[in-house]
Amino acid sequence: MPQLRKDPILKQWVIISPERGKRPSDFKKVETAATDDAEHCPFCQGHESMTPPETLSFRTAGTAADTPGWWVRIIPDKVPILIPEGDSNREGIGMFDAMNSIGVHEMVIEAPDHNTTFSNATPTQVKEIIWAYKQRLLELKKNPRYKHLMIVKNSGAGLSALSHAHSHIIATPIIPKRIEEELEGCREYFHYHDRCLICDIIKQESKSKSRLVYEDDNFIIFCPFASRFPFEMEIAPKNHFPFFEMLENSMVPLFANTLQIALKKLETLLPGQPYNFIIHSSPCSDSYKDFYHWHVEIIPKLTKTAGFEWGSGFYINPTPPEDAAEALRNVEIK
Amino acid sequence: MPQLRKDPILKQWVIISPERGKRPSDFKKVETAATDDAEHCPFCQGHESMTPPETLSFRTAGTAADTPGWWVRIIPDKVPILIPEGDSNREGIGMFDAMNSIGVHEMVIEAPDHNTTFSNATPTQVKEIIWAYKQRLLELKKNPRYKHLMIVKNSGAGLSALSHAHSHIIATPIIPKRIEEELEGCREYFHYHDRCLICDIIKQESKSKSRLVYEDDNFIIFCPFASRFPFEMEIAPKNHFPFFEMLENSMVPLFANTLQIALKKLETLLPGQPYNFIIHSSPCSDSYKDFYHWHVEIIPKLTKTAGFEWGSGFYINPTPPEDAAEALRNVEIK
């Protein structure tokens, strides 16, 4: 079973996953993406038996679970980093803290076809993916042991072993450190100003335009003032709202449209570049709702982070976000 | 001039470096290491005119600066991310904070020969590199505007554009966020226990042996309990001491020996794998000296960090540190 261990200096949790057990011989070469094709792909329609049983799918009426007929399908990870069953078993190991890695780790298969991507999918398909995220998170949220829910997508060569479009759903029994840091920053600003920090950022970016990529009445896309990476983007709803999974139904197609605009612009400007996106929603408790504002981070993986970044926690970005925003703003998409 | 910008949510500083200005066309392919050879290498002996003038060198008596005759040579970076001159110009840009990127960014050329590495260098050469680090940091520390000094090495394909062995010296006008986090963890433990956290970790690792890689009377190498990466190692002096740069002279060859043992073990176990090391010394002020203990982090770059790590701040490590330590401990080195 994977174990969560706490770094006593940085108070950061690490998942030690011996099930993914890697011995020195497994690292003889720097890892490269596995070659995979539709014939051997466990995520393709018709190959449902190659995966664990689905936890949710949107499928044609009358088709059975784990058979063809679906358009979005959610399954547990084959080698999960977090396990839904069992006791958390918090324990001290000498001066150190550890617990069982309780939680949920699932994969959202974003389309039955091997070559569909967020950029080339139909608007309807993107909307269905967002529906699936929302519906699955709402279900997971009913379990009080999960403190935080997250959607993560790793797209492109080197970031994922499988090229068939998919994303991850992660539910954790602790609030991850990075989220704690966001909460802390937002809470402090709220106490001082009685306003949501992210609301204020959105207003400023919408007004100043220099880092604006796109906006409509409901959503905004901009390159953050202190972007850590070239062409980093943030998407947020314009009105204050803490929980992605509680997004109003009428907003689902609007958000799907905005997300697809961002990813199409990126794909047109930097064809084939790998990227991550992460949907940050408030932790499950209601106590953060006044000052946390759900948002999406899109991080193209164009630069390598090296010792300086790891060692210092600050980043070097060779592309000013104003230049990145201008280039992204001017991209025409189909 | 590069600019330091503060992320208002995470309170993290980012260096925006338009001098390294990257437009979309510069990213057409994922960056790969530049091909370089001794003939075109600016760091090779005889090519001194290809670099900015040296700030320190250890060289044969009678040879002039920026000519052959050196065995370790320190130069400013050609495209520095931090600039030593000028005013810091702290300013508010709307609701955001920025300042000029004041500081020092220098390169330590670790040997005159193109193919020397930390693993194949003579013990004398490694000792001289450590002397050079120490001497240059002590000089930089005289300037009160620098709050923190750091040594970083990126070794291997993909981590550095130049293969000729070199490391970075970085002096910053602020304490980097990652270091602030370490200080906070160490301070809290000290207030509670009246003991240094890292001293206690060293004692436990030395006693329990399960994560021990090497120890002698003065230094210890171990794999941290919550290692974020496979085969991650930490080196620390056994006796409490905050400042690397104030290491006693008699300890320099002993530390050089320990560092070389760690890197030789890594190179023997995982030949040719890229790695980083970072020497963490206390910030320049004396106020941290009771609870901060200098140490070295060695991070082999075997796994790719993806969206999950970026988004959550917690890491997935497929190699338990006990297994990593056992493998490293058992490596015979020449």
Side-chain angles (χ1 to χ4, degrees), chain B residues 188 201 209 239 246 282:
Chain B
E188 225 177 83
I201 292 175
K209 310 281 184 219
N239 291 325
M246 290 170 76
S282 166

Side-chain angles (χ1 to χ4, degrees), chain A residues 76-101:
Chain A
D77 193 281
K78 254 198 165 168
V79 190
I81 48 175
L82 298 148
I83 309 281
E85 281 95 31
D87 190 66
S88 73
N89 260 340
R90 287 172 187 257
E91 61 170 332
I93 300 179
M95 64 187 290
F96 300 120
D97 303 305
M99 61 171 150
N100 283 337
S101 189

Side-chain angles (χ1 to χ4, degrees), chain A residues 173-184:
Chain A
I174 46 170
I175 299 176
K177 180 181 162 95
R178 163 65 200 278
I179 308 300
E180 285 280 14
E181 290 173 0
E182 286 201 352
L183 290 169
E184 187 48 39

Side-chain angles (χ1 to χ4, degrees), chain A residues 127-142:
Chain A
K127 193 186 68 188
E128 292 295 306
I129 300 167
I130 306 300
W131 272 116
Y133 288 164
K134 181 169 146 66
Q135 192 165 323
R136 188 65 190 141
L137 290 194
L138 284 173
E139 182 62 32
L140 291 170
K141 209 175 171 175
K142 292 180 188 159

Side-chain angles (χ1 to χ4, degrees), chain A residues 5 11 13 15 17 22 27 95 154 170 181 188 204 225 273 301 307-308 310 314-315 317 319, chain B residues 5 11 13 15 17 22 27 95 154 170 181 188 204 225 273 301 307-308 310 314-315 317 319:
Chain A
R5 294 187 179 189
K11 296 186 209 151
W13 289 90
I15 300 175
S17 172
K22 294 250 170 128
F27 294 112
M95 64 187 290
N154 308 324
I170 295 146
E181 290 173 0
E188 224 176 84
Q204 173 156 334
F225 173 76
Q273 286 293 352
K301 304 309 282 260
F308 182 66
W310 291 115
F314 61 89
Y315 289 84
N317 179 355
T319 308
Chain B
R5 293 187 180 188
K11 297 187 208 148
W13 291 90
I15 301 174
S17 173
K22 295 248 171 128
F27 294 113
M95 64 186 290
N154 308 326
I170 295 147
E181 290 174 359
E188 225 177 83
Q204 174 156 335
F225 174 76
Q273 285 293 353
K301 303 309 282 259
F308 182 66
W310 291 115
F314 62 89
Y315 289 85
N317 179 356
T319 309

Side-chain angles (χ1 to χ4, degrees), chain A residues 99-307:
Chain A
M99 61 171 150
N100 283 337
S101 189
I102 296 293
V104 170
H105 179 198
E106 295 184 337
M107 317 284 266
V108 181
I109 309 174
E110 295 160 3
D113 177 71
H114 194 71
N115 298 309
T116 303
T117 67
F118 254 99
S119 303
N120 69 21
T122 61
T124 308
Q125 183 66 23
V126 175
K127 193 186 68 188
E128 292 295 306
I129 300 167
I130 306 300
W131 272 116
Y133 288 164
K134 181 169 146 66
Q135 192 165 323
R136 188 65 190 141
L137 290 194
L138 284 173
E139 182 62 32
L140 291 170
K141 209 175 171 175
K142 292 180 188 159
N143 187 330
R145 77 195 305 185
Y146 305 135
K147 300 265 189 298
H148 185 257
L149 307 169
M150 182 160 56
I151 306 276
V152 172
K153 180 170 173 67
N154 308 324
S155 165
L159 292 188
S160 182
L162 288 168
S163 65
H164 193 125
H166 66 283
S167 27
H168 302 255
I169 292 179
I170 295 146
T172 47
I174 46 170
I175 299 176
K177 180 181 162 95
R178 163 65 200 278
I179 308 300
E180 285 280 14
E181 290 173 0
E182 286 201 352
L183 290 169
E184 187 48 39
C186 292
R187 184 192 286 117
E188 224 176 84
Y189 189 91
F190 184 81
H191 282 175
Y192 192 81
H193 294 283
D194 258 315
R195 296 192 306 269
C196 161
L197 171 54
I198 296 178
C199 285
D200 275 12
I201 293 176
I202 291 166
K203 276 189 204 118
Q204 173 156 334
E205 297 302 355
S206 171
K207 198 173 146 201
S208 90
K209 311 281 184 218
S210 62
R211 285 175 295 274
L212 187 68
V213 176
Y214 167 88
E215 65 178 333
D216 56 29
D217 289 347
N218 298 288
F219 289 96
I220 184 169
I221 310 174
F222 61 93
C223 296
F225 173 76
S227 291
R228 294 156 300 169
F229 304 99
F231 305 97
E232 184 178 336
M233 282 183 269
E234 190 158 322
I235 304 178
K238 282 190 164 174
N239 291 325
H240 184 75
F241 201 64
F243 300 108
F244 159 74
E245 65 279 9
M246 290 169 76
L247 184 65
E248 273 178 57
N249 291 352
S250 63
M251 295 284 273
V252 168
L254 304 175
F255 170 59
N257 178 51
T258 310
L259 179 60
Q260 198 175 26
I261 287 172
L263 296 175
K264 277 189 171 182
K265 280 179 174 274
L266 190 62
E267 175 64 26
T268 310
L269 191 64
L270 297 159
Q273 286 293 352
Y275 67 85
N276 297 137
F277 73 67
I278 304 131
I279 302 183
H280 287 279
S281 183
S282 166
C284 303
S285 153
D286 260 357
S287 32
Y288 313 100
K289 70 180 168 43
D290 287 340
F291 54 82
Y292 197 81
H293 189 129
W294 79 268
H295 58 280
V296 184
E297 268 180 46
I298 302 178
I299 306 174
K301 304 309 282 260
L302 298 160
T303 47
K304 292 222 158 83
T305 50

